[in-house]
Amino acid sequence: LALEIMEEMLAKGIPCTTVTYAKAISACRRGRQKGARRGRRNYRARQLLEEMLTNQVPANILTWNPSIGASAAYGQLDLLMEDMQAMGIAHDTIMLSTAMNASGKAGNWEAALQLMDDVWARGVPRYTVLYSAAISACEKGGQGQRALLLLEAMRAEGIRP
């Protein structure tokens, strides 16, 4: 429905806003795009983000987070994170945990751990939510031993699971 409304707006010459794009991207991610399989929906979500940026519609957390999920599922999370950094978008804890969770759901636990290492190298505080996302990604990837090591690291740093 969100994509249909967006197409109707464009047909009538009504410009799409950040909220319009956010709803359409989220609809693609949640599988509410008629007749499209998951891979196609993630691809479409990524296309919508690129279209939004090309049209100079400002992005915000409502557009970045579902785009992170789509990019991870489509194997382009690194590109999106680089694009965000180039645009001066700070990778906050919510975005980082979203990216790590999306990597885990996409079966790419290595990417989640790499993100964790990267953000901590930049001085981002070690919050429970980031550890939890990394542990979850390892669990989804069949890396139970790594998940246990992360849990032990949390405890050693005095962070409650």
Side-chain angles (χ1 to χ4, degrees), residues 31 35 37 56-57 64 66 71 74 84 90 108 111 113 116 148:
R37 293 196 320 249
Q56 297 181 338
V57 176
W64 287 121
S71 294
Y74 205 66
M84 290 170 67
N108 193 352
L113 293 183
M116 185 177 72
L148 289 173

Side-chain angles (χ1 to χ4, degrees), residues 46-57:
R46 179 73 174 143
Q47 281 182 321
L48 286 169
L49 176 68
E50 290 172 8
E51 178 183 308
M52 182 183 83
L53 297 173
T54 299
N55 292 334
Q56 297 181 338
V57 176

